[in-house]
Amino acid sequence: MRNLILVTIISGFALFACQNQKKQSENNMENPFFNEWKTTFGVPPFNEIKEEHYIPAVTEAIEQNQDEIEKITGNTDDPTFGNTILALDKSGELLDKVTGVFFPLNSANTNDSMQAIAREISPMLTRHRDNISMNPALFGKIKEIYDKRNSLGLNDQQIRVTTKYYEDFVRNGANLSEENQEILSSINEELSKLSLQFGENLLAETNKNFKLVIDDEEDLTGLPEDVIMRAAEDAKSFGEEGKWVFTLAKPSMIPFLRFSEKRNLREKLYRGYFMRCNNGNEYDNKEIIKRIIELRDKRAKLLGFNNHAEYIIDVNMAKTPEAVYDFLLRLWEPAIKMAKQDVKKMQAIIDREGENFELQSWDWWYYIEKLRKEQFDINEEEVKQYFSLKNAKNGIFYVVNRLYGLNFLKRDDLPTYHSEAEAYEVQEADGSHLGVLYMDFHPRDGKRVGAWSTSFRDASYKDGERVPTIGTIVMNFTRPTDDAPALLSFEEVTTFFHEFGHALHGLFADGPYDRTAGRVPRDFVELPSQIMENWAAEPEVMKVYARHHETGEPISDELIEKLQKSFKFNQGFIMGEYLAAALLDMDYHTPENPDIADVLAFEKQSMDNIGLIPEIIPRYRSTYFAHIFSGGYSAGYYVYYWASVLDTDAFNAFKETGDIFNREYAAKFRELLEKCGSDEGMEIYRKFRGKEPSLEPLLKKRGLK
Ligand SMILES: [Zn+2]
């Protein structure tokens, strides 16, 4: 009800604002988005921004941006870098200001009315972006400059930003004939419908169509107490009070596969998982996949590429599908070899226990857990005692200070969007201001799950002056209790370092043009974040920050050793299931014949080609591979490990010097983060490393070499 009332009020307000100019200007005075922010460091005045301010601000911002575009296209002077590229690059300031607050808050601190606003403004923004990217007059001017770019006396950054804008338009079909543009639009439209349908089918098959209901306590054998409690709670929410429910969501499924002694139930649950959208019912995704592949191939050819993977990877660091295949297969060989060794070890346990069956995919988690206990028994509760949130924060500040000399000053005087969000001023070694970073640690209603880093304001230049970044990282870490501070799992600590790395990338990003400053291809974007995870796991660093929250004792060598072992454990499976999915993705998007007759046969052939063993199922089978069929990762699932290769190789640069805080490399890495939008990914990387990245450090780190 609240939702409905608010929507009515808000849309009423928007309508009213259009009809009454005079009234609007009065309202504008009260709308903080229309005023300059006089807050310290220009952070958003969160306390003054009200929900009713967003829609009028977005409406006005779109109008202003349209006016700016019309000014560019209506200019009768010859197009120049200044009156076209620069004017386009610097346009949309108000729009950035509003969306830069709205979208981060809609993830970190949302409610029904914020979501209603999102539903209203998202199509407005899509329409607006389409109006710009399909504006032939604007493209005509950009093309004129692009065609003459080398004879206009432009510097290399001006040429680069011109080229990037030109590419953006061309990749959207700006260079096509009107007839082909229409074909392209209809392909895009059908693809977006199919992607949506794929995702909806998957949601239904994951959340609605299957659950494992247990009503006999005997069937809980082997499960830890907290897993049983959670299953009882889930049962309640499904109206199965007094029973236990396990679902296909990983936090529910994985502990069951790991601990349940009931082999038949493990099989039942895992089958439910890997048969999703492959059950021949109305939620089956096989026909959708066939059509998506066909349409993507058609679109790529229309745009002048041989296949979809070429089209996607052309703007990535890898550049070609061949480079991606090469790197995936070079990791695949050692990974599958190790997986086969682990299969043997697990089979030995099965045999030793007097069982008479061969290990199957639904047995992996259960027997790998037994194998782990044999090799090193790590007590997760014990580990947590050393990783209080405060310690983790100190650890990050310590690392970043040793590397870059940065200091983080907590600023309780800055406005925040929630009492739990903390604001920090980031200062350079000499005390000068680098930017602001908000951190928001614990789950609550209205916060999306997971962890992410974004910004309320990106660094840019205005009238020659640098406007610093206002970044934010948001997580969902374990809360403190009445008698203990927030104690994190090592995985949570790693996540913290990871997101902090993204934030540093944003804080350091520099460059004269918004289109290129800090902007990196998709297969580069996880390098700044993942590299930070390496410092979190170094024994030398752990000794500094991992201290018992009660006694202050540093973590023991023995516990560090167990943690180090855990980093190398089960990597054959972890890498194997990932790489299998990444290769399946590539196979779908480099087809010789895009007309796939049978999705399951195609998948089997693809997996047979690389020699996947039956004990491992790809991390995502075709019918539930949402990353590539409904998310934005088609021909791009490889990027996570591509970045892993980069981050491990980059960290190795430090290690090779014998000093993980080597200041020379730190300065070079900072330069990489600052200038990463100024050139092609591989060029930027080579400047840092002096050579191309090597796979060896990753294989060593994961225990595969
Ligand atoms: Zn990330």
Side-chain angles (χ1 to χ4, degrees), residues 461-512:
Y461 279 84
K462 195 177 175 188
D463 307 322
E465 237 177 87
R466 187 167 195 273
V467 181
T469 300
I470 300 169
T472 171
I473 53 181
V474 186
M475 286 143 301
N476 279 284
F477 292 160
T478 315
R479 274 190 175 279
T481 60
D482 287 342
D483 35 42
L487 298 176
L488 311 186
S489 67
F490 189 71
E491 204 183 323
E492 288 178 319
V493 174
T494 306
T495 302
F496 191 7
F497 274 72
H498 178 106
E499 298 307 333
F500 207 89
H502 282 307
L504 273 183
H505 176 187
L507 285 162
F508 284 144
D510 198 21

Side-chain angles (χ1 to χ4, degrees), residues 5 78 131 283 404 498 508 589 679 690:
I5 292 167
D78 281 345
N131 283 343
Y283 304 105
Y404 308 115
H498 178 106
F508 284 144
H589 295 110
D679 204 343

Side-chain angles (χ1 to χ4, degrees), residues 356-476:
N356 185 24
F357 60 83
E358 273 182 30
L359 184 93
Q360 300 292 333
S361 58
W362 46 86
D363 299 318
W364 194 290
W365 286 268
Y366 182 74
Y367 285 98
I368 206 73
E369 179 65 18
K370 290 198 170 202
L371 188 62
R372 191 180 61 74
K373 276 222 160 78
E374 276 182 17
Q375 295 185 0
F376 61 99
D377 197 8
I378 198 163
N379 179 341
E380 280 156 24
E381 274 311 304
E382 188 192 352
V383 172
K384 280 184 175 183
Q385 307 302 314
Y386 294 88
F387 295 100
S388 70
L389 176 59
K390 194 169 151 226
N391 285 348
K393 237 191 268 181
N394 287 342
I396 285 179
F397 292 160
Y398 170 78
V399 166
V400 174
N401 183 271
R402 289 283 307 267
L403 288 169
Y404 308 115
L406 300 185
N407 288 301
F408 291 78
L409 281 71
K410 190 148 184 280
R411 293 288 302 248
D412 293 326
D413 57 321
L414 296 185
T416 60
Y417 57 90
H418 189 279
S419 57
E420 284 187 349
E422 302 174 354
Y424 288 82
E425 185 198 354
V426 190
Q427 286 187 352
E428 300 277 11
D430 65 3
S432 60
H433 179 78
L434 177 66
V436 174
L437 181 61
Y438 284 85
M439 294 199 261
D440 181 357
F441 294 104
H442 303 297
R444 59 170 176 264
D445 279 349
K447 193 194 267 194
R448 187 155 66 82
V449 295
W452 61 94
S453 168
T454 175
S455 61
F456 295 117
R457 184 179 73 195
D458 289 328
S460 66
Y461 279 84
K462 195 177 175 188
D463 307 322
E465 237 177 87
R466 187 167 195 273
V467 181
T469 300
I470 300 169
T472 171
I473 53 181
V474 186
M475 286 143 301
N476 279 284

Side-chain angles (χ1 to χ4, degrees), residues 615-629:
E615 294 85 353
I616 295 179
I617 286 181
R619 190 169 168 86
Y620 300 98
R621 293 188 69 197
S622 309
T623 54
Y624 53 89
F625 205 162
H627 284 81
I628 69 166
F629 292 122

